[in-house]
Amino acid sequence: IMSRTPDARARDTQTKQIQENITNVEKHFGDLCQLFAAYVRKTARLRDKADLLVKEVSLYADTETPNLKLGLKNFADQLAQIQDYRQAEVERLEVKVIEPLKAYGNIVKTKREDMKQTQTARNREAKQMQQLERMRQRNPSDRQIIAESELQRATMEATRTTRQLEETIDDFEKQKIRDIKKIFGEFVTVEMAFHAKALEIYTTAYQHIQNVDEEGDLEVFRNSLHPPDYQSRLEIVRANSKLSLNRTGTSMSKSGTMQSRTSSRQRKRDDEEDDEEEEDDEDDLEEVTDDEH
């Protein structure tokens, strides 16, 4: 465009910079919004998968021995509780992160409207300047005065809209920085709150599963291998075996006593016979002595 004034060129440079700033925010805020939304969707899917895991752990627990069953049930309860907090995490991220980023779509649209008004005023100023240049070349003084007056009004309008745009974009930049700090701060706060609570609950879940009484459940399992009637029969057999052993021992004891008594009586008879033999010997000796005399 023909000989733009220094002020007009400065305004053009300023407007171009503002336009680049708005375009930059529009692009990156849009990308951030999409990625945060994908992050939240992934978190929601993780919550859904964890719910299925809770269900499966609970079903498995119903098939197990008492102590392991209790430990697994408590573990599943803690895992389910974590998913409740994960659901809260998803909802908070949607409200405190995604929605504010989405709002920048309308904010940027408004700023582009402001840019359009300013650009319209600039174009009007440029058009008036072109007309003035053409009139100067033709030298009709009256028309030149009119053109200069129109140009002055167009310049004033362009200056006014530029000043308004500058104020608007200054507020926009200020609000953008505040919003970025708030949005990212909210994201970190929500995540920290979830993970802090999850750490607490995971600790409890770990304790529940570690406190399972292994020996107690092994005893239950071993007993389950032998039905109750088998146990009863086994006890009867053991009792009968013990009774038979006791009877055998008693019989052997009685037999030994009888043998002892018989031996005693036999020894007594032998002693009596020995005594009789000794008496006969003594009688024989007395008879021999009498004969000699």
Side-chain angles (χ1 to χ4, degrees), residues 8 17 35 42 62 108 126 136 139 154 157 159 171 178 184 198 208 227-228 270-271 288:
Q17 185 177 349
L35 290 171
K42 286 282 187 182
D62 289 332
V108 168
R136 282 176 179 172
N139 292 323
E157 180 64 16
T159 303
D171 291 339
R178 288 177 180 173
F184 281 75
H208 280 307
D270 292 343
D271 291 342
V288 170

Side-chain angles (χ1 to χ4, degrees), residues 174-275:
K174 190 186 301 180
Q175 190 63 45
K176 179 195 73 177
I177 295 171
R178 288 177 180 173
D179 286 341
I180 283 290
K181 290 175 66 177
K182 184 177 180 181
I183 290 168
F184 281 75
E186 291 286 4
F187 172 76
V188 172
T189 301
V190 169
E191 289 295 291
M192 286 177 63
F194 167 74
H195 287 290
K197 200 66 185 178
L199 180 61
E200 177 186 338
I201 299 171
Y202 274 128
T203 301
T204 303
Y206 179 84
Q207 291 170 347
H208 280 307
I209 209 68
Q210 293 302 315
N211 289 338
V212 171
D213 183 357
E214 298 176 33
E215 292 301 323
D217 275 4
L218 280 173
E219 185 65 26
V220 171
F221 172 74
R222 288 162 183 164
N223 290 337
S224 71
L225 296 178
H226 303 293
D229 57 339
Y230 174 86
Q231 287 290 89
S232 299
R233 290 197 303 272
L234 185 61
E235 290 173 2
I236 291 171
V237 170
R238 288 174 178 170
N240 289 339
S241 299
K242 186 176 181 181
L243 182 60
S244 298
L245 289 172
N246 289 339
R247 285 175 178 173
T248 303
T250 301
S251 299
M252 291 178 65
S253 175
K254 288 181 179 179
S255 175
T257 302
M258 290 174 66
Q259 290 176 0
S260 176
R261 288 175 182 172
T262 302
S263 298
S264 178
R265 285 197 299 271
Q266 183 65 40
R267 283 197 299 273
K268 187 175 181 180
R269 283 198 301 270
D270 292 343
D271 291 342
E272 288 176 350
E273 290 176 356
D274 290 342
D275 290 342

Side-chain angles (χ1 to χ4, degrees), residues 27-233:
K27 178 188 182 304
H28 290 291
F29 271 59
D31 291 344
L32 285 170
C33 185
Q34 289 181 0
L35 290 171
F36 272 120
Y39 179 95
V40 172
R41 287 194 301 272
K42 286 282 187 182
T43 304
R45 283 198 288 272
L46 178 59
R47 173 206 60 206
D48 294 341
K49 292 296 183 183
D51 285 340
L52 293 176
L53 179 59
V54 167
K55 183 178 179 181
E56 177 56 30
V57 172
S58 184
L59 289 172
Y60 168 52
D62 289 332
T63 69
E64 271 296 347
T65 45
N67 290 294
L68 183 55
K69 177 180 180 179
L70 179 61
L72 288 171
K73 287 286 188 181
N74 288 333
F75 180 89
D77 288 343
Q78 297 301 310
L79 194 58
Q81 191 175 349
I82 289 173
Q83 305 324 306
D84 292 338
Y85 283 103
R86 204 184 297 277
Q87 174 62 25
E89 174 196 13
V90 167
E91 293 173 355
R92 289 171 184 167
L93 288 175
E94 287 176 344
V95 172
K96 296 180 178 295
V97 176
I98 296 174
E99 289 301 325
L101 286 172
K102 269 186 185 178
Y104 264 78
N106 289 329
I107 292 172
V108 168
K109 186 177 179 180
T110 301
K111 299 311 167 188
R112 289 200 178 281
E113 290 294 327
D114 294 338
M115 284 287 301
K116 188 176 180 181
Q117 291 179 5
T118 302
Q119 194 60 48
T120 299
R122 299 280 178 77
N123 291 339
R124 188 179 298 115
E125 179 189 22
K127 185 178 180 180
Q128 292 298 326
M129 188 170 292
Q130 287 177 351
Q131 289 180 355
L132 179 60
E133 288 295 330
R134 285 196 298 269
M135 289 178 184
R136 282 176 179 172
Q137 291 175 3
R138 296 171 186 171
N139 292 323
S141 58
D142 292 340
R143 288 185 179 181
Q144 183 177 340
I145 294 172
I146 296 172
E148 288 176 352
S149 178
E150 291 294 331
L151 174 59
Q152 186 176 10
R153 283 198 294 270
T155 300
M156 290 176 61
E157 180 64 16
T159 303
R160 183 186 67 80
T161 56
T162 299
R163 189 178 298 113
Q164 285 181 344
L165 178 62
E166 186 178 344
E167 292 173 357
T168 298
I169 205 65
D170 187 79
D171 291 339
F172 171 76
E173 190 69 17
K174 190 186 301 180
Q175 190 63 45
K176 179 195 73 177
I177 295 171
R178 288 177 180 173
D179 286 341
I180 283 290
K181 290 175 66 177
K182 184 177 180 181
I183 290 168
F184 281 75
E186 291 286 4
F187 172 76
V188 172
T189 301
V190 169
E191 289 295 291
M192 286 177 63
F194 167 74
H195 287 290
K197 200 66 185 178
L199 180 61
E200 177 186 338
I201 299 171
Y202 274 128
T203 301
T204 303
Y206 179 84
Q207 291 170 347
H208 280 307
I209 209 68
Q210 293 302 315
N211 289 338
V212 171
D213 183 357
E214 298 176 33
E215 292 301 323
D217 275 4
L218 280 173
E219 185 65 26
V220 171
F221 172 74
R222 288 162 183 164
N223 290 337
S224 71
L225 296 178
H226 303 293
D229 57 339
Y230 174 86
Q231 287 290 89
S232 299
R233 290 197 303 272

